[in-house]
């Protein structure tokens, strides 16, 4: 495989992958500067990378993340969504048209849901997602969308997540809702459950994609 391009960071590549998992960390609503070197939202995703990496070891599954050019979503610019789509294009250049599962947290989940119209995206797992009521859903038809949200989240609104799920289902998506009782936005309460559920879902979705 060729060297990764700017919006894509591969943790593990294989000669000819048959599927891929990309992770997307959170960010801010508005911030035009690049993500800092010491990036807490990125650090929150590392346990998920390790768990998914162990679970898919020895399988022809590429594992990576989306690299953002900016720290924030930035209104109509939707910078994180643009970077997610670029990363999908770069993955296609590197690995071919492999079915891909996107796993995003907070802003990263919003970016993953926006990028789910890409022909390679088969499923999205959204962790404590940011799902404003104005976000589109028609492009999710035929995709699998799994949304996990805790009832102690004070950053993104679980009620908006479940409303988004209903809209996406009506648009033709295969939607699953997984409430995380006691879960907070940082996914620190019951962290092991967040990691285990996400890894199980990714394995299931990779099997469906393959």
């Amino acid at each position: 495989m060729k060297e990764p391009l700017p919006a894509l960071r591969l943790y593990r590549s294989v000669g000819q992958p048959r599927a891929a998992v990309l992770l997307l960390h959170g960010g801010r609503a508005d911030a035009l500067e690049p993500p800092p070197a010491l990036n807490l939202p990125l650090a929150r995703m590392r346990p998920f990378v390790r768990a998914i990496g162990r679970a898919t070891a020895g399988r022809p599954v590429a594992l990576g993340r989306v690299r953002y050019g900016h720290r924030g979503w930035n209104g109509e610019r939707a910078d994180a969504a643009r970077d997610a789509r670029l990363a999908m294009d770069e993955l296609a250049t590197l690995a071919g048209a492999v079915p891909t599962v996107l796993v995003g947290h907070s802003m990263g989940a919003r970016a993953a849901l926006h990028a789910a119209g890409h022909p390679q995206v088969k499923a999205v797992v959204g962790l404590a997602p940011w799902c404003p009521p104005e976000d589109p859903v028609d492009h999710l038809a035929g995709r699998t969308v799994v949304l996990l949200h805790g009832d102690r989240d004070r950053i993104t609104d679980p009620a908006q997540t479940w409303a988004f799920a209903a809209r996406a289902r009506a648009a033709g998506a295969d939607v699953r809702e997984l409430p995380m009782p006691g879960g907070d936005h940082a996914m620190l309460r019951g962290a092991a459950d967040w990691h285990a559920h996400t890894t199980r879902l990714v394995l299931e979705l990779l099997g469906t994609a393959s």
Side-chain angles (χ1 to χ4, degrees):
M1 296 173 65
K2 300 177 183 178
E3 287 298 314
L5 299 170
L8 177 65
R9 161 78 156 83
L10 286 178
Y11 295 116
R12 182 185 69 210
S13 60
V14 294
Q16 186 54 56
R18 291 195 288 184
V21 181
L22 295 188
L23 292 96
L24 301 89
H25 64 75
R28 296 183 175 179
D30 297 289
L32 289 171
E33 70 272 14
L38 296 175
N39 189 348
L40 183 57
L42 174 59
R44 288 192 184 111
M45 297 304 288
R46 286 176 183 152
F48 294 92
V49 173
R50 289 194 293 268
I52 294 169
R54 287 193 297 267
T56 58
R59 299 178 61 179
V61 177
L63 178 64
R65 70 173 174 90
V66 175
R67 297 197 293 192
Y68 304 135
H70 304 277
R71 196 173 187 178
W73 183 268
N74 301 317
E76 293 183 358
R77 290 170 54 111
D79 287 315
R82 180 200 60 194
D83 290 337
R85 287 188 286 265
L86 285 173
M88 288 303 308
D89 289 341
E90 293 167 8
L91 179 64
T93 299
L94 293 167
V98 295
T100 302
V101 177
L102 301 180
V103 180
H105 172 239
S106 190
M107 182 190 78
R110 187 182 187 187
L113 290 165
H114 273 249
H118 193 284
Q120 288 180 225
V121 176
K122 301 303 179 185
V124 174
V125 178
L127 310 172
W130 178 18
C131 296
E134 68 271 17
D135 276 8
V137 295
D138 289 347
H139 65 290
L140 297 173
R143 269 67 173 176
T144 299
V145 176
V146 187
L147 303 176
L148 295 75
H149 215 140
D151 53 9
R152 292 191 180 183
D153 195 327
R154 301 295 179 263
I155 305 298
T156 55
D157 186 351
Q160 288 190 350
T161 294
W162 311 138
F164 181 92
R167 292 196 296 120
R169 185 177 292 113
D174 174 15
V175 182
R176 307 183 212 173
E177 304 163 42
L178 184 57
M180 301 292 288
D184 61 343
H185 189 70
M187 305 178 294
L188 295 176
R189 292 188 179 95
D193 289 336
W194 286 92
H195 305 154
H197 284 315
T198 301
T199 302
R200 172 182 56 80
L201 288 165
V202 166
L203 290 176
E204 177 187 338
L205 294 167
L206 284 173
T208 301
S210 298

